[in-house]
């Protein structure tokens, strides 16, 4: 993405082959006829130099790197792994528990999302997902806020928690219609005999 972005500097000067393997030539086809007659910038001209300075600004390049599709997929995967960490699949959680755990995963993700990625000595990005048990940062301020609001008014906190619980949808099993036992048994036997025949 970065190489493609930087190629604009060449493109506007009518240079469409670039000396980087990541993006060796422009994505457009060969330029013929009218397409050739553009007002290209003269290499070395003030306009070309000024535009190059803008395009290659470090802060801008950093943003462009984030546009990379791989990078986006990666952050989504990181987010999913946060969810799995806070709400492992092998454990059943109540609605409120699950809700709180998803909020935690989102907080944790957002807290780390805008950090510059560490790089290995060869310049490639180094990824490592870590879950500190207790980090001075959002976890501390979260605990502090919780403690403060509890000290301030335990009743208010209990009310919030009660409201959250009352928002919980009914268990899925409740949405099934109850079938009388005899009917269920005869349905079961009918299915069994069907399998036996084949
Ligand atoms: Zn081009």
């Amino acid at each position: 993405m970065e190489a493609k972005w930087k190629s604009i500097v060449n493109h506007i000067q009518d240079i469409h082959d670039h000396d980087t393997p990541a993006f060796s030539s422009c994505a457009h086809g060969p330029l013929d006829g009218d397409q050739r007659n553009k007002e290209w910038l003269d290499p070395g001209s003030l306009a070309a130099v000024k535009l190059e300075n803008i395009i290659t600004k470090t802060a801008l390049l950093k943003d462009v790197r984030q546009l990379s599709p791989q990078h986006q997929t990666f952050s989504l995967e990181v987010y999913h792994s946060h969810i799995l960490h806070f709400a492992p699949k092998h454990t059943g959680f109540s609605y409120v528990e699950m809700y709180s755990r998803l909020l935690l995963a989102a907080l944790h993700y957002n807290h780390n999302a805008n950090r510059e990625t560490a790089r290995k000595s060869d310049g490639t990005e180094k990824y490592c997902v870590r879950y500190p048990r207790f980090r001075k940062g959002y976890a501390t301020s979260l605990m502090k806020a919780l403690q403060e609001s509890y000290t301030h008014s335990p009743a208010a906190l209990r009310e919030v928690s009660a409201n959250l619980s009352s928002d919980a949808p009914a268990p899925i099993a409740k949405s099934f219609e109850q079938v009388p036992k005899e009917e269920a048994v005869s349905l079961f036997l009918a299915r069994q005999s069907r399998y036996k025949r084949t």
Side-chain angles (χ1 to χ4, degrees):
M1 196 60 83
E2 186 182 346
K4 193 174 185 178
W5 172 258
K6 281 185 180 163
S7 78
I8 298 173
V9 177
N10 281 342
H11 175 86
I12 52 155
Q13 299 177 45
D14 198 15
I15 302 163
H16 310 283
D17 293 314
H18 319 293
D19 48 12
T20 164
F23 194 71
S24 56
S25 63
C26 285
H28 58 74
L31 302 174
D32 310 303
D34 256 10
Q35 294 176 310
R36 285 240 62 87
N37 281 329
K38 290 187 177 160
E39 293 193 47
W40 307 106
L41 297 187
D42 290 327
S45 67
L46 185 64
V49 171
K50 280 199 164 183
L51 196 58
E52 174 166 4
N53 284 342
I54 294 171
I55 289 171
T56 56
K57 263 203 163 79
T58 317
L60 190 58
L61 286 182
K62 235 167 83 182
D63 285 349
V64 169
R65 265 178 237 141
Q66 310 282 320
L67 292 174
S68 147
Q70 272 161 311
H71 194 280
Q72 280 171 20
T73 312
F74 182 78
S75 21
L76 189 65
E77 277 165 18
V78 169
Y79 182 53
H80 285 160
S81 74
H82 282 3
I83 290 181
L84 285 178
H85 173 78
F86 286 102
K89 283 182 182 169
H90 54 74
T91 315
F93 296 109
S94 72
Y95 175 81
V96 177
E97 275 175 324
M98 194 63 185
Y99 181 75
S100 316
R101 282 165 181 276
L102 289 178
L103 290 185
L104 269 179
L107 277 171
H108 192 89
Y109 175 78
N110 288 344
H111 184 73
N112 293 296
N114 294 321
R115 293 188 176 197
E116 178 75 51
T117 316
R119 281 172 192 283
K120 294 184 211 156
S121 51
D122 63 356
T124 57
E125 289 180 305
K126 184 169 90 183
Y127 294 115
C128 172
V129 184
R130 262 183 298 172
Y131 301 97
R133 278 180 187 273
F134 199 86
R135 168 148 79 227
K136 277 216 174 286
Y138 82 98
T140 320
S141 44
L142 208 65
M143 301 278 279
K144 237 178 105 186
L146 198 65
Q147 203 175 18
E148 268 164 30
S149 62
Y150 182 79
T151 320
H152 182 65
S153 166
L157 201 64
R158 269 198 295 273
E159 198 189 308
V160 172
S161 147
N163 284 345
L164 212 68
S165 303
S166 68
D167 278 349
I172 289 175
K174 280 253 162 104
S175 64
F176 295 125
E177 225 178 289
Q178 293 276 323
V179 180
K181 193 180 174 188
E182 278 147 51
E183 201 183 316
V185 170
S186 63
L187 271 170
F188 173 75
L189 291 177
R191 226 174 298 147
Q192 286 268 307
S193 62
R194 202 161 54 222
Y195 286 131
K196 270 175 199 152
R197 239 178 284 139
T198 54

